[in-house]
C-alpha cells in the first residue's frame, strides 16, 4: 500500500532534524520614515542668521553705546550752559540725561572727559561754520554783503550751540584750550587775509602795514566777541537787533578802509 505522507527520519539516530528544532527569527522592526528636508531657502536663511548673529550683537551694543554717549553729551551741554563748566557736576549731568551716575561713569571717568569730548565735537562744527563764512567768493561782495556772508554762519553756529561759548570762553579746560586758541588764531589769520585783499591805500596814498592790519583784525574779533555775549543773552527781536547793531558797527569801522573794490 502506497504511503500518503512521509515522515522525516532523524539524520542520525536519536538526533532530531535541524529544520524542525531551529528557533524562528523575530521579524525586523519597520524603519522610521525620514524627516522631510527643509526647503533650501529656509536652510540658507537659518545658516545666514546663525552666521550673522555673533557680528550683529556687537553692532547693536555699539549703536546703543553711541546713543548713550550722545545723550550724555546733550545733557552736559545743557548743564554747562546753565551753570558754567566750573559749577557743573557729573551728578547734575546724569540727572539731566535721566541716567544713574554709575551709567555715566561707564562712558566718562569725570567731568573733564565729558567736556573734552563735547568740546571736540563743537570745535569741529565751528571749523565747518568758519569755512562757510570765509569762502573765497565772499571777497567779491560789497562790504555790507561781505559782512552778512562772514557773520551770519558764525552767529548762527554760536546761537545753535551755546555750550560752545560756555566751554571756550569760561574757565580754561585742559584738553580743549589749546584747540580753542588755534581756532582763534585761524580766525585772526582769515580776517587779516580779507583786510589785506580789500583795504586800499589811505587818503595820503599810504598803504596799511602788516602791523596795522593785525591791529584792525584784533579789533574786529574783539567787537564780534563782545557783541556775541549780548546776542547769546537775548532772544527774538532783541537778538535780531543786536545782530543788526554789530553789522552796523563793523561797517562804519571798516568802510573808510575799503577804498578799493575787492579783487575779481
Amino acid at each position: 500500500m502506497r504511503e500518503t505522507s512521509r515522515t522525516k527520519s532523524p539524520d542520525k539516530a536519536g538526533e532530531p532534524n535541524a529544520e524542525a528544532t531551529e528557533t524562528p527569527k523575530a521579524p525586523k522592526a519597520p524603519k522610521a520614515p525620514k524627516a522631510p528636508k527643509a526647503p533650501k531657502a529656509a536652510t540658507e536663511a537659518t545658516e545666514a542668521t546663525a552666521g550673522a548673529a555673533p557680528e550683529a550683537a556687537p553692532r547693536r551694543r555699539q549703536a546703543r553705546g553711541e546713543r548713550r554717549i550722545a545723550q550724555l553729551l546733550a545733557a552736559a551741554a545743557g548743564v554747562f550752559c546753565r551753570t558754567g563748566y566750573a559749577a557743573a557736576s557729573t551728578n547734575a549731568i546724569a540727572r539731566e540725561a535721566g541716567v544713574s551716575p554709575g551709567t555715566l561713569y561707564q562712558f566718562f571717568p569725570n567731568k573733564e572727559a565729558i567736556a573734552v569730548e563735547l568740546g571736540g565735537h563743537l570745535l569741529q562744527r565751528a571749523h565747518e561754520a568758519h569755512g562757510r563764512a570765509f569762502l573765497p567768493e565772499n571777497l567779491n561782495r560789497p562790504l555790507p554783503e561781505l559782512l552778512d556772508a562772514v557773520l551770519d554762519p558764525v552767529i548762527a553756529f554760536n546761537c545753535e550751540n551755546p555750550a560752545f561759548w560756555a566751554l571756550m570762553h569760561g574757565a580754561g579746560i585742559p584738553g580743549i584750550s589749546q584747540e580753542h586758541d588755534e581756532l582763534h588764531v585761524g580766525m585772526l589769520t582769515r580776517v587779516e587775509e580779507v583786510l589785506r585783499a580789500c583795504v586800499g591805500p589811505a587818503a595820503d596814498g599810504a598803504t596799511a602795514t602788516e602791523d596795522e592790519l593785525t591791529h584792525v583784525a584784533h579789533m574786529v574779533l574783539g567787537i564780534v566777541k563782545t557783541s556775541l555775549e549780548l546776542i547769546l543773552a537775548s532772544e527774538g527781536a532783541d537778538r535780531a537787533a543786536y545782530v543788526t547793531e554789530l553789522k552796523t558797527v563793523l561797517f562804519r569801522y571798516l568802510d573808510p578802509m575799503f577804498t578799493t573794490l575787492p579783487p575779481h
Side-chain angles (χ1 to χ4, degrees):
M1 184 175 177
R2 182 178 297 178
E3 294 179 356
T4 57
S5 64
R6 298 178 60 186
T7 302
K8 293 184 179 180
S9 61
D11 292 340
K12 294 182 181 179
E15 293 183 4
N17 187 289
E19 294 179 359
T21 60
E22 185 177 359
T23 304
K25 295 181 179 180
K28 293 183 179 180
K31 293 183 179 180
K34 293 183 179 180
K37 292 184 178 180
K40 184 178 180 181
T43 303
E44 292 175 351
T46 303
E47 292 174 353
T49 304
E55 298 178 2
R59 284 199 297 269
R60 287 195 296 269
R61 287 195 295 270
Q62 182 180 4
R64 286 197 297 270
E66 291 174 352
R67 288 194 297 271
R68 182 67 75 191
I69 289 173
Q71 178 185 5
L72 292 169
L73 293 180
V79 173
F80 292 152
C81 287
R82 289 195 302 272
T83 68
Y85 172 78
S89 67
T90 52
N91 286 342
I93 294 171
R95 283 196 302 272
E96 182 83 5
V99 301
S100 67
T103 298
L104 182 149
Y105 290 127
Q106 291 178 7
F107 299 94
F108 298 104
N110 49 45
K111 177 179 70 173
E112 180 185 330
I114 300 174
V116 169
E117 182 76 12
L118 177 61
H121 286 290
L122 294 175
L123 280 166
Q124 178 61 37
R125 296 177 194 170
H127 281 294
E128 294 171 358
H130 295 171
R132 293 190 298 272
F134 290 94
L135 293 173
E137 55 265 30
N138 289 340
L139 296 179
N140 296 325
R141 300 170 181 266
L143 181 57
E145 296 181 12
L146 174 61
L147 291 174
D148 289 340
V150 171
L151 291 174
D152 287 348
V154 175
I155 294 172
F157 166 77
N158 281 275
C159 291
E160 293 167 3
N161 302 280
F164 180 76
W165 186 269
L167 288 177
M168 303 304 168
H169 300 282
I173 302 168
I176 60 176
S177 57
Q178 180 180 350
E179 287 81 355
H180 175 252
D181 291 342
E182 293 173 355
L183 181 70
H184 178 79
V185 171
M187 282 280 288
L188 183 65
T189 300
R190 286 174 165 177
V191 173
E192 288 178 347
E193 291 173 351
V194 172
L195 295 174
R196 194 175 295 112
C198 299
V199 170
D204 58 2
T207 58
T209 65
E210 287 298 313
D211 286 343
E212 289 172 337
L213 292 178
T214 298
H215 294 157
V216 173
H218 276 291
M219 281 299 299
V220 169
L221 289 184
I223 293 170
V224 171
K225 179 180 177 180
T226 302
S227 300
L228 275 174
E229 292 187 45
L230 294 171
I231 292 169
L232 293 174
S234 59
E235 296 180 353
D238 287 338
R239 174 174 289 182
Y242 283 125
V243 171
T244 300
E245 289 301 313
L246 167 60
K247 293 178 180 179
T248 301
V249 169
L250 288 178
F251 175 80
R252 292 178 178 175
Y253 175 52
L254 294 173
D255 186 51
M257 306 178 198
F258 280 54
T259 56
T260 60
L261 292 174
H264 290 275

